[in-house]
Amino acid sequence: MPEGPLVRKFHHLISPFVGQQVVKTGGSSKKLQPAGLQSLWLQDTQVRLVLYFGGGGFLAFYNCQMSWSSSPVVTPACDILSEKFHRGQALEALGQAQPVCYTLLDQRYFSGLGNIIKNEVLYRAGIHPLSLGSVLSAPRREALVDHVVEFSTAWLQGKFQGRPQHTQVYQKDQCPAGHQVMKEAFGPPGGFRRLTWWCPQCQPQLSEEPERRQVS
């Protein structure tokens, strides 16, 4: 799964082709016939096939899934790098009684959030990946969403400025505090398991009872 900042940078680079007409095609795709795209107009780019444009430029798409869509299908409410990102929806999802590391990778609520971002924001928020969202206080869930947006935005800015992204626990043996980092694959039952890095000392697993809503 490509991380949001990488996809967004790609989107930025190809956006000048929006509004141009395809005058020639090349490459191959199992789902689409590239020749069928000739003479069409690029209406939108959603963040790989070769499209040549009248202005002399071209786009090359590598190792991607292609599908026909009559209109743009962007849902900015779940895009972690969108100004229209719906924090309330994300916070509600994080309150589920399941490990937060599962919820963070749910693209219905955190589109563009991949494994690197998952590991890094959980460490920065001091949250164990297997802590149930239902035991996290509202302020901790708010802080976690803040870290998601801040880390992703900083990564994107670094990409444009040519700066490498430095991680604190992802693929590390020790955290910045010098503690040993643990590694294990976690995933929902019957779902895809992703390697997860965390510091048991900086990210203790919560055992409190789920926070209860007061009934008035």
Side-chain angles (χ1 to χ4, degrees):
M1 178 192 302
E3 304 277 356
L6 301 177
V7 177
R8 185 56 65 90
K9 180 183 178 183
F10 175 76
H11 174 272
H12 176 79
L13 293 175
I14 67 177
S15 59
F17 293 100
V18 173
Q20 294 192 42
Q21 185 178 30
V22 178
V23 297
K24 180 183 177 182
T25 63
S28 62
S29 171
K30 293 181 179 180
K31 289 191 174 183
L32 297 175
Q33 291 296 328
L37 299 176
Q38 190 164 326
S39 299
L40 298 183
W41 296 81
L42 184 64
Q43 298 181 359
D44 192 19
T45 58
Q46 297 184 36
V47 215
R48 287 174 168 42
L49 186 93
V50 181
L51 306 179
Y52 300 86
F53 297 90
F58 69 92
L59 290 175
F61 297 81
Y62 299 98
N63 191 27
C64 63
Q65 293 183 351
M66 308 293 295
S67 61
W68 284 109
S69 176
S70 59
S71 61
V73 293
V74 169
T75 52
C78 66
D79 185 347
I80 60 176
L81 285 167
S82 171
E83 295 180 353
K84 297 181 179 179
F85 176 58
H86 199 306
R87 289 181 59 93
Q89 178 178 281
L91 289 168
E92 183 178 357
L94 284 173
Q96 300 177 80
Q98 70 173 5
V100 287
C101 67
Y102 300 175
T103 306
L104 286 174
L105 292 179
D106 191 330
Q107 300 299 294
R108 295 175 298 174
Y109 311 110
F110 297 95
S111 179
L113 195 155
N115 206 39
I116 297 176
I117 297 176
K118 177 201 76 177
N119 285 281
E120 291 300 306
V121 299
L122 285 173
Y123 175 75
R124 286 162 168 75
I127 298 174
H128 191 286
L130 292 182
S131 290
L132 301 183
S134 55
V135 307
L136 294 177
S137 65
R140 294 201 75 185
R141 294 197 299 269
E142 288 273 6
L144 180 55
V145 173
D146 287 340
H147 282 295
V148 166
V149 175
E150 291 168 4
F151 180 84
S152 303
T153 301
W155 189 358
L156 176 61
Q157 293 174 345
K159 280 292 181 183
F160 285 126
Q161 296 170 4
R163 292 185 284 105
Q165 177 61 37
H166 297 290
T167 59
Q168 296 184 348
V169 292
Y170 179 74
Q171 296 185 338
K172 301 292 186 181
D173 295 322
Q174 292 185 333
C175 75
H179 306 138
Q180 181 179 0
V181 168
M182 305 296 292
K183 179 180 74 171
E184 191 171 340
F186 296 138
F192 190 58
R193 298 166 65 86
R194 304 298 302 272
L195 282 176
T196 303
W197 287 261
W198 79 98
C199 173
Q201 296 188 54
C202 298
Q203 300 166 260
Q205 187 165 2
L206 300 180
S207 58
E208 300 96 330
E209 288 294 319
E211 62 175 355
R212 292 179 171 83
R213 297 178 181 176
Q214 295 186 356
V215 179
S216 58

